[in-house]
Amino acid sequence: RALKRFENQLGKALAKAEKAKAKWKSIEKVIETVAEATGKHLIVLEGVLEKVPEKVKDKIAKAKEVSIVGQKNALRALAIENPERATAINLEAAEARLIRAKVKAEVGEIEEVEEAINEFEGQYKFGEEISQIAQGVGKDTTLVEQLVGEATAIHLKVLAEVYEKVPE
């Protein structure tokens, strides 16, 4: 029930933002809120996923997928209005995946490390799409590129820490 309610509310929020956009209203704050909230939901869902019985894990994994898709949709819309903020939120989400990989590496849960690294890669590559959207609407992407550069340095440090902890 919670998953269905979550999907429904996320869909409603995105639909309302689209209606507002169609009426030429600024949707930046709404979309930013949705993008940030779905990022927080992902972190919570990852914690829940570890604690629920096996029979419910697939439903939590589905909710996680819905959150990822919802966040990416929100970030696409935000990239048109404010590509710097869209990039910052995306990089925060990518870093959360790396932190999860690091935590899992520390306790030797290698499959979870691989999953988190794969999710990080997907999130990080999504940043390229944000940049392309910004360029497509004529926005200056200099600050976007600076944010990515700064985050990359941090991400490489965390990846090195993960690498030290996982077996060959």
Side-chain angles (χ1 to χ4, degrees):
R1 279 184 286 189
L3 171 60
K4 288 198 185 303
R5 220 172 36 228
F6 171 73
E7 288 178 18
N8 188 21
Q9 292 301 321
L10 181 59
K12 283 181 182 179
L14 292 172
K16 283 184 180 186
E18 285 302 315
K19 280 184 182 179
K21 185 177 177 184
K23 294 178 182 177
W24 297 98
K25 293 182 179 178
S26 175
I27 61 168
E28 182 178 337
K29 276 301 194 193
V30 173
I31 294 299
E32 183 178 344
T33 301
V34 170
E36 289 173 339
T38 51
K40 291 174 185 174
H41 294 161
L42 280 168
I43 293 168
V44 170
L45 288 168
E46 287 168 353
V48 169
L49 190 59
E50 295 175 4
K51 296 174 183 161
V52 296
E54 202 62 40
K55 65 181 183 178
V56 202
K57 287 190 186 245
D58 62 325
K59 297 208 184 296
I60 302 299
K62 171 78 168 117
K64 194 173 151 185
E65 288 174 28
V66 168
S67 284
I68 290 169
V69 170
Q71 185 180 49
K72 286 184 178 181
N73 287 338
L75 289 173
R76 283 182 186 103
L78 185 58
I80 294 167
E81 304 281 327
N82 186 340
E84 294 86 7
R85 187 67 188 126
T87 298
I89 293 170
N90 186 61
L91 290 171
E92 289 169 12
E95 189 169 335
R97 307 287 74 75
L98 276 183
I99 291 169
R100 181 169 159 251
K102 181 180 172 185
V103 167
K104 294 302 178 181
E106 288 170 352
V107 295
E109 296 179 5
I110 303 308
E111 286 181 28
E112 286 83 358
V113 171
E114 288 181 39
E115 180 183 324
I117 294 293
N118 287 335
E119 289 173 1
F120 161 76
E121 289 173 347
Q123 197 80 40
Y124 195 78
K125 286 178 185 174
F126 182 69
E128 294 171 13
E129 185 177 333
I130 291 171
S131 183
Q132 289 172 351
I133 290 169
Q135 289 173 356
V137 295
K139 300 274 184 173
D140 181 10
T141 59
T142 305
L143 186 54
V144 168
E145 291 166 10
Q146 287 175 336
L147 287 169
V148 170
E150 291 168 10
T152 299
I154 295 167
H155 296 164
L156 287 172
K157 181 181 177 209
V158 176
L159 278 169
E161 292 171 6
V162 171
Y163 183 78
E164 290 175 7
K165 292 179 173 47
V166 295
E168 289 298 318

